[in-house]
Amino acid sequence: MFIGEMFSLIAYAVVLYKKRTKKSELTIEDVKDSLVDDSQKTKITDEESKKEDPQIEEKDPELPPANNFIFAISAMCDLCCSTISTFAITYLSSSLYQMFRGVELFFIMIFSRIFLKNKIYRHHAVGVGTVIAGLTLVGLSAILDTNKKQEEAKDPRVGMVLLVVAQLFSSSQYVVQENFVKKYTINSFQLVGFEGFWGTVVYTIMLLVFQQVHCDSWTEILQKNVCIQNENNEWRIEDTLYAFRQMNDNFAIWLVYFLYIASIALYNIVGINLTQLVSSTARAVVDTVRTVFVWAFFLIPWPIRPEGSEETFNPLQFAGFVLLIIGTVVYNEIVEIKFMNLDYYTRSKISY
């Protein structure tokens, strides 16, 4: 994931190159203008310049540029979220995992209010409340599912708790990023790219350390839940070399590995451009549609999917999923509810 995010630095380098090229062109033009005879220049009085730009004295000062080291803070939030989420998905089905990630909307609202002093309006509260109701139904659908596959699986409640903790870090990351954007001049590609860089650096160090930590003397429960056993029956917290040897045994794993890196890179670059060209609301719609595709993939009996990985349709889960979508679109003001003046403080009404 972090390697995929680092590809945004390529786009950021292109942006910097274009800025420098444009700046050099402007400098050349300035030199040419200075060589022109003063008698041929048109004199513009102070009053005329003010008429051309009446707000010339009211421009806000530019924000200072960001130090690239500060992105390590948001990268650590992402690192904690991703690591805990990876443990959570081993306890949950893919569709349930994707749906339950919607809990971050609640934490984002709370954290943005506490730390960024953002205002929370009625439609925000209704949207988050609807999402919580949907998550409750989705959670119940997993707990009450009594089919044989679910009985043999790990306890989904553990996965839900882990995922909630992971979303606490994810929400913190959004708040930290918003705080950075308000304080500094930051390019979106710069933000994503350096988060990927710092995440890769820290994870590499962690893997080197965990490679040396043996778990042979640990209890059986800790060994199975925290450590990994290699082909020599050695228990370690992480065995990266063993992981690469396993990948070499199956080319398909390498293929998925590189496709995942490419998908993360494209997701971030396209998401940033979508936000800049359309709006952040449009990006929220795309994220909602992603959940639909994940659920549909595991419901439809695809011939390429391994036997036993398909999921069964659950009416309670479907109802929770509908509430999740409704809450998301209301919170992001994609749909404005006129009942009880819930649309009174939306962006469209405020701008009007």
Side-chain angles (χ1 to χ4, degrees):
M1 181 194 70
F2 284 123
I3 292 173
E5 288 181 352
M6 274 203 303
F7 277 91
S8 294
L9 290 177
I10 299 175
Y12 179 54
V14 173
V15 171
L16 290 179
Y17 174 76
K18 288 183 177 180
K19 281 185 177 180
R20 290 173 182 173
T21 304
K22 188 176 180 180
K23 187 175 180 180
S24 62
E25 290 175 354
L26 290 173
T27 304
I28 294 172
E29 291 297 327
D30 292 338
V31 173
K32 288 181 178 178
D33 290 340
S34 66
L35 296 175
V36 178
D37 187 14
D38 291 340
S39 61
Q40 297 178 354
K41 294 182 179 180
T42 303
K43 293 182 179 180
I44 303 175
T45 63
D46 294 338
E47 294 180 357
E48 289 174 340
S49 63
K50 287 181 180 180
K51 288 180 181 179
E52 289 180 2
D53 190 1
Q55 297 181 346
I56 193 169
E57 297 179 356
E58 298 177 3
K59 290 182 179 178
D60 295 329
E62 287 190 8
L63 296 173
N67 188 318
N68 293 324
F69 283 95
I70 67 171
F71 301 123
I73 300 174
S74 53
M76 293 307 97
C77 293
D78 198 2
L79 184 147
C80 294
C81 171
S82 303
T83 304
I84 299 172
S85 295
T86 303
F87 282 101
I89 200 172
T90 62
Y91 292 87
L92 302 169
S93 63
S94 297
S95 61
L96 185 63
Y97 167 84
Q98 187 65 39
M99 291 181 192
F100 218 79
R101 288 178 62 186
V103 73
E104 73 176 0
L105 201 62
F106 171 74
F107 295 125
I108 289 174
M109 184 184 72
I110 299 300
F111 289 169
S112 63
R113 174 58 183 162
I114 296 174
F115 299 106
L116 301 177
K117 308 302 179 184
N118 291 343
K119 293 182 179 180
I120 299 175
Y121 297 113
R122 281 171 285 186
H123 65 279
H124 292 141
V126 170
V128 169
T130 307
V131 167
I132 296 299
L135 290 173
T136 302
L137 292 180
V138 170
L140 285 173
S141 69
I143 295 172
L144 299 177
D145 192 355
T146 56
N147 59 48
K148 183 178 180 180
K149 179 182 175 182
Q150 188 67 42
E151 288 175 353
E152 294 177 352
K154 295 181 179 179
D155 191 344
R157 290 171 292 189
V158 176
M160 292 176 197
V161 172
L162 288 173
L163 199 51
V164 168
V165 175
Q167 297 314 302
L168 278 169
F169 288 102
S170 177
S171 306
S172 302
Q173 180 189 6
Y174 284 118
V175 173
V176 169
Q177 288 176 341
E178 187 174 345
N179 189 41
F180 287 164
V181 171
K182 288 182 177 180
K183 287 186 176 181
Y184 306 102
T185 300
I186 295 176
N187 182 279
S188 300
F189 293 118
Q190 176 191 13
L191 174 62
V192 175
F194 276 101
E195 280 187 3
F197 171 78
W198 291 117
T200 302
V201 169
V202 174
Y203 250 128
T204 301
I205 296 172
M206 288 173 58
L207 290 176
L208 290 173
V209 173
F210 291 162
Q211 180 81 23
Q212 308 305 319
V213 180
H214 294 263
C215 315
D216 298 290
S217 61
W218 293 17
T219 63
E220 184 178 352
I221 296 176
L222 284 176
Q223 283 182 344
K224 290 184 178 180
N225 287 279
V226 178
C227 304
I228 185 172
Q229 187 179 29
N230 60 24
E231 70 271 32
N232 298 322
N233 294 324
E234 296 175 335
W235 289 91
R236 302 172 187 263
I237 290 183
E238 182 60 57
D239 195 332
T240 307
L241 298 177
Y242 177 51
F244 280 116
R245 289 195 293 271
Q246 288 179 303
M247 293 169 69
N248 288 331
D249 291 338
N250 192 334
F251 174 76
I253 299 178
W254 277 108
L255 179 62
V256 173
Y257 175 77
F258 286 111
L259 286 175
Y260 183 71
I261 290 176
S263 69
I264 290 293
L266 289 173
Y267 173 78
N268 284 288
I269 293 174
V270 171
I272 291 169
N273 282 278
L274 184 64
T275 301
Q276 292 175 339
L277 297 175
V278 187
S279 67
S280 58
T281 302
R283 190 173 183 179
V285 175
V286 174
D287 282 340
T288 303
V289 173
R290 176 177 60 175
T291 307
V292 176
F293 278 114
V294 171
W295 194 34
F297 178 84
F298 286 96
L299 284 178
I300 300 173
W302 299 97
I304 60 173
R305 192 174 58 223
E307 184 179 355
S309 64
E310 67 277 355
E311 298 179 20
T312 56
F313 179 81
N314 189 314
L316 196 60
Q317 187 174 344
F318 175 75
F321 178 62
V322 171
L323 288 177
L324 284 173
I325 293 179
I326 293 173
T328 303
V329 298
V330 170
Y331 183 91
N332 290 286
E333 301 176 17
I334 300 168
V335 174
E336 297 181 4
I337 301 176
K338 301 185 182 298
F339 179 69
M340 295 181 63
N341 290 328
L342 290 175
D343 64 332
Y344 191 76
Y345 289 105
T346 57
R347 284 186 293 268
S348 60
K349 287 293 179 68
I350 293 175
S351 61
Y352 178 76

